[in-house]
């Protein structure tokens, strides 16, 4: 009886330790804060550690190809940076990362962190330049990123890309663009930047806190949204606001979507993600909604949040664009 009891305790202890180890492998959603001011205070006090997205070392198993021309936007050449896993014997799925910046700023190198992170895991990754508001308004940015998808598909053989498995992922304005690429099939949104005989279709979408509906009362009052639409108010051009809203393009055949959004985001309210999730559910489109209580816009710059996001992205990609 004593041996049996001891054996049982050992087994219990082993299972408990194993369970703890397995649970530790899944990063939790970090505890959030009351408001954005509390988040800033925690950063200044060193309680929130930030990732170093500006100084990303290139690992030995990843090849970086910079300044690749992928098309034209208006009179300007458009470029992307490409990250290729070394030592492959067959084609890999690809992920295009789209930077944010309220459609008016930002640069493609802002997304090098994610490009390198997932190229290390075996994916071909790219980060793209697109026309900003100062150069051209909507739908120029959509035209450009769709062109980038077409270019990557057209050059799939050259870079060992699986043309059937190309994902778009973006943050903030980039999240909006990733959804526009993933959901819209309006010919007016394709543009003429290059490879127009190739599909711009994506097989999955990752949306980090991007606006989904530009026709809400909040969105209509934003000067940035008005500038993005070409300086026109909603009353002056309601059709353009709808055309620029990913939510209005969703149909049952659209790709699976991973959503990240914080509940104290004052830049893009959490309601934008809520309505997206509701629509995806209504249409029976596969989706995962990561709703982060007490976290603001650009929350994935916090290391603990980023660890959770990267883990969830990896699980999502393993399901929808597995590396065989």
């Amino acid at each position: 009886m004593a041996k049996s009891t001891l054996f049982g305790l050992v087994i219990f202890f082993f299972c408990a330790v194993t369970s703890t180890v397995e649970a530790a492998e899944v990063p939790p959603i970090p505890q959030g804060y009351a408001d954005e001011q509390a988040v800033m205070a925690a950063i200044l006090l060193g309680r929130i550690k930030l990732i170093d997205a500006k100084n990303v070392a290139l690992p030995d198993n990843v090849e970086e190809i910079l300044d690749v021309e992928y098309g034209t936007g208006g009179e300007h050449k458009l470029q992307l940076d490409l990250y290729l896993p070394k030592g492959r014997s067959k084609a890999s799925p690809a992920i295009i990362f789209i930077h944010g910046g309220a459609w008016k700023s930002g640069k493609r190198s802002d997304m090098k962190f994610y490009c390198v992170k997932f190229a290390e895991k075996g994916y071909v990754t790219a980060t793209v330049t697109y026309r900003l508001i100062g150069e051209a308004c909507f739908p120029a940015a959509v035209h450009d990123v769709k062109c980038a998808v077409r270019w990557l598909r057209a050059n799939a053989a050259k870079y060992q890309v699986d043309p059937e498995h190309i994902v778009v992922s973006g943050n903030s304005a980039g999240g909006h663009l990733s959804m526009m690429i993933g959901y819209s099939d309006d010919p007016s949104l394709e543009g003429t930047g290059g490879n127009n005989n190739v599909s711009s279709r994506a097989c999955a979408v990752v949306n980090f806190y991007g606006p989904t509906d530009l026709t809400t009362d909040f969105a209509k009052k934003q000067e940035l949204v008005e500038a993005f639409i070409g300086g026109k108010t909603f009353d002056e051009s309601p059709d353009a606001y709808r055309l620029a809203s990913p939510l209005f393009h969703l149909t049952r055949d659209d790709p699976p979507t991973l959503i990240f959004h914080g509940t104290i985001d004052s830049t893009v309210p959490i309601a934008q993600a809520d309505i997206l999730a509701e629509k995806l559910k209504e249409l029976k489109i596969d989706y995962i909604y990561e709703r982060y209580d007490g976290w603001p816009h650009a929350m994935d710059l916090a290391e603990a949040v980023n660890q959770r996001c990267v883990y969830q992205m990896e699980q999502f990609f393993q399901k929808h664009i597995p590396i065989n």
Side-chain angles (χ1 to χ4, degrees):
M1 183 70 175
K3 287 184 178 180
S4 176
T5 302
L6 179 61
F7 180 74
L9 289 171
V10 170
I11 293 297
F12 174 80
F13 177 76
F14 175 77
C15 291
V17 170
T18 303
S19 176
T20 301
V21 171
E22 289 178 350
E25 293 176 352
V26 182
I29 295 177
Q31 183 174 350
Y33 295 81
D35 52 40
E36 292 174 322
Q37 289 72 28
V39 173
M40 290 303 301
I43 292 172
L44 292 173
L45 292 170
R47 294 172 184 164
I48 295 177
K49 183 178 180 181
L50 302 180
I51 63 170
D52 187 356
K54 292 185 179 295
N55 301 293
V56 182
L58 191 69
D60 292 338
N61 64 341
V62 174
E63 177 187 2
E64 180 183 54
I65 306 176
L66 301 177
D67 306 326
V68 180
E69 185 179 332
Y70 74 82
T72 57
E75 299 178 355
H76 298 282
K77 296 177 180 179
L78 299 169
Q79 295 181 325
L80 57 77
D81 297 336
L82 203 58
Y83 296 83
L84 307 175
K86 293 180 180 178
R88 291 176 295 148
S89 59
K90 56 184 177 180
S92 305
I95 310 163
I96 294 177
F97 290 98
I98 311 167
H99 72 80
W103 304 296
K104 68 174 183 176
S105 62
K107 53 190 181 299
R108 64 180 184 272
S109 60
D110 294 342
M111 304 305 287
K112 181 176 179 178
F113 176 89
Y114 283 113
C115 283
V116 170
K117 181 76 69 175
F118 285 96
E120 281 188 286
K121 299 177 187 297
Y123 297 97
V124 171
T125 60
T127 175
V128 304
T129 291
Y130 56 88
R131 282 172 290 172
L132 303 174
I133 289 174
E135 183 178 350
C137 60
F138 174 79
V142 179
H143 286 172
D144 296 348
V145 184
K146 278 182 174 280
C147 179
V149 177
R150 295 196 304 266
W151 178 90
L152 189 58
R153 182 166 281 121
N155 289 274
K158 179 178 180 180
Y159 296 107
Q160 283 187 286
V161 170
D162 178 353
E164 299 303 316
H165 291 95
I166 298 175
V167 170
V168 283
S169 175
N171 294 45
S172 193
H176 166 267
L177 293 174
S178 74
M179 289 183 285
M180 290 296 294
I181 275 59
Y183 305 155
S184 68
D185 56 8
D186 189 312
S188 71
L189 296 176
E190 287 293 333
T192 56
N195 293 297
N196 283 82
N197 60 331
V198 179
S199 171
S200 64
R201 191 75 172 167
C203 72
V205 170
V206 180
N207 164 38
F208 278 86
Y209 39 81
T212 63
D213 182 0
L214 302 186
T215 71
T216 65
D217 289 340
F218 178 88
K220 287 187 289 186
K221 295 175 183 177
Q222 304 306 306
E223 291 182 1
L224 278 172
V225 174
E226 185 176 317
F228 179 61
I229 302 298
K232 295 183 178 180
T233 66
F234 176 79
D235 291 337
E236 291 172 328
S237 191
D239 290 343
Y241 278 71
R242 293 189 187 94
L243 186 64
S245 298
L247 195 71
F248 290 94
H249 293 279
L250 271 169
T251 53
R252 292 187 187 278
D253 61 343
D254 281 330
T257 300
L258 173 58
I259 310 165
F260 295 104
H261 214 116
T263 61
I264 58 170
D265 189 335
S266 64
T267 303
V268 180
I270 188 68
Q272 290 279 305
D274 290 342
I275 57 176
L276 172 62
E278 290 173 8
K279 188 67 174 180
L280 292 167
K281 182 178 181 180
E282 175 191 324
L283 294 173
K284 295 182 172 56
I285 296 171
D286 190 11
Y287 76 97
I288 296 172
Y289 183 12
E290 288 272 291
R291 199 175 193 269
Y292 288 53
D293 287 334
W295 287 97
H297 205 66
M299 62 188 179
D300 55 313
L301 290 175
E303 187 175 77
V305 173
N306 190 273
Q307 288 173 352
R308 168 75 181 198
C309 293
V310 168
Y311 173 83
Q312 289 296 79
M313 292 167 76
E314 189 170 9
Q315 300 306 303
F316 182 74
F317 295 151
Q318 285 177 1
K319 179 178 180 180
H320 298 290
I321 52 167
I323 298 175
N324 298 320

